Amino acid sequence: MGVTPVILASSLFAATHLGMSHGEIRRQLVQKLGERRFRGLYILVSFMTLGGAIWAFSTRRGEGPVLWTTPAWIYPVVYLLMLLALALFILSFFTPSPTGMAARVLAPRGVLRITRHPMNMGFALFGLAHVIANGSLADLFFFGSFFVVGFLGAYHQDRRKALELGPAFSDFRDQTSVLPFAAVLQGRTRLVRDELPLAGLAVALVLYGLLIAVHGRLFGAEPF
């Protein structure tokens, strides 16, 4: 079977995650099930398909054709991407994005000044970092599915919120960005240090250090 289970499971994870949230499909499911049951089904399917992808990958990591070999000089970029990914993911719990399922205050603050989709971008950068560092076909499909879900999912959420909230969301979108730091670099917003919780940053740094320390034992691959 080779890498086929990884390809199929990873593709299923990405396809169902994005497909169930897509315009007309989501609308019909919500109409039949109700918003609350739809969210429950969406979460259940996401965990089941992700679990299947993890299981398939765990037995076939590194298998298939090696499409590229990562040069040593690019690894610092990989580590920085992972640090940013982890920081965005942790900070997303301190300042939840209004682009999520439950709309919140539409105002750029905290991590939302970096990206209005901190959790999605955390997943996307995690996937991107591991795709860069691992050139086998199995790794490309598994980690690539995280990038696809995180990156395309952000634009999916934008489109849905624009339809739901109208001009209020447009104003928020104009002051923020999907890509991390893009709105800051373009002068559409500015970072405010006091809005970034020190506890969240500390947790991210500690977890980052722990993951580097145990990466080889947990995943069978040394980070350095």
Side-chain angles (χ1 to χ4, degrees):
M1 294 181 69
V3 298
T4 301
V6 181
I7 294 174
L8 292 177
S10 299
S11 299
L12 184 63
F13 163 59
T16 55
H17 196 87
L18 294 173
M20 290 180 67
S21 64
H22 185 70
E24 185 62 18
I25 297 174
R26 184 184 189 279
R27 189 191 67 79
Q28 291 187 14
L29 286 172
V30 170
Q31 189 175 36
K32 292 178 179 179
L33 301 174
E35 184 71 32
R36 190 170 180 178
R37 289 183 179 179
F38 166 75
R39 290 183 187 181
L41 177 63
Y42 186 77
I43 292 170
L44 177 62
V45 171
S46 295
F47 274 107
M48 289 179 63
T49 54
L50 176 58
I54 292 172
W55 177 82
F57 179 72
S58 68
T59 60
R60 295 168 176 84
R61 183 178 65 82
E63 292 189 5
V66 177
L67 306 176
W68 61 82
T69 301
T70 307
W73 63 264
I74 207 169
Y75 274 95
V77 176
V78 173
Y79 303 140
L80 286 174
L81 286 174
M82 273 305 302
L83 177 58
L84 179 57
L86 189 57
L88 291 177
F89 181 77
I90 296 299
L91 291 176
S92 72
F93 292 97
F94 287 80
T95 310
S97 173
T99 60
M101 286 188 175
R104 297 171 177 85
V105 178
L106 290 167
R109 59 181 301 273
V111 70
L112 302 181
R113 295 181 183 272
I114 298 174
T115 169
R116 61 177 172 271
H117 295 277
M119 185 172 289
N120 279 71
M121 286 299 103
F123 281 120
L125 292 179
F126 165 82
L128 178 60
H130 283 78
V131 164
I132 293 172
N134 300 277
S136 75
L137 187 62
D139 292 76
L140 172 62
F141 268 87
F142 179 70
F143 292 116
S145 69
F146 286 88
F147 176 79
V148 169
V149 165
F151 188 74
L152 294 186
Y155 288 96
H156 256 214
Q157 290 178 353
D158 273 3
R159 183 168 58 182
R160 179 165 59 86
K161 287 301 180 183
L163 292 173
E164 290 178 1
L165 303 174
F169 182 75
S170 296
D171 291 341
F172 174 68
R173 184 174 55 192
D174 290 343
Q175 299 175 71
T176 56
S177 61
V178 173
L179 298 179
F181 297 107
V184 175
L185 294 174
Q186 293 168 355
R188 291 187 281 128
T189 190
R190 62 185 180 86
L191 287 178
V192 180
R193 187 183 61 181
D194 293 342
E195 292 180 358
L196 294 173
L198 291 178
L201 294 172
V203 169
L205 285 171
V206 170
L207 285 178
Y208 183 70
L210 287 175
L211 284 172
I212 288 178
V214 303
H215 197 278
R217 280 176 285 177
L218 288 179
F219 307 111
E222 295 294 341
F224 296 102

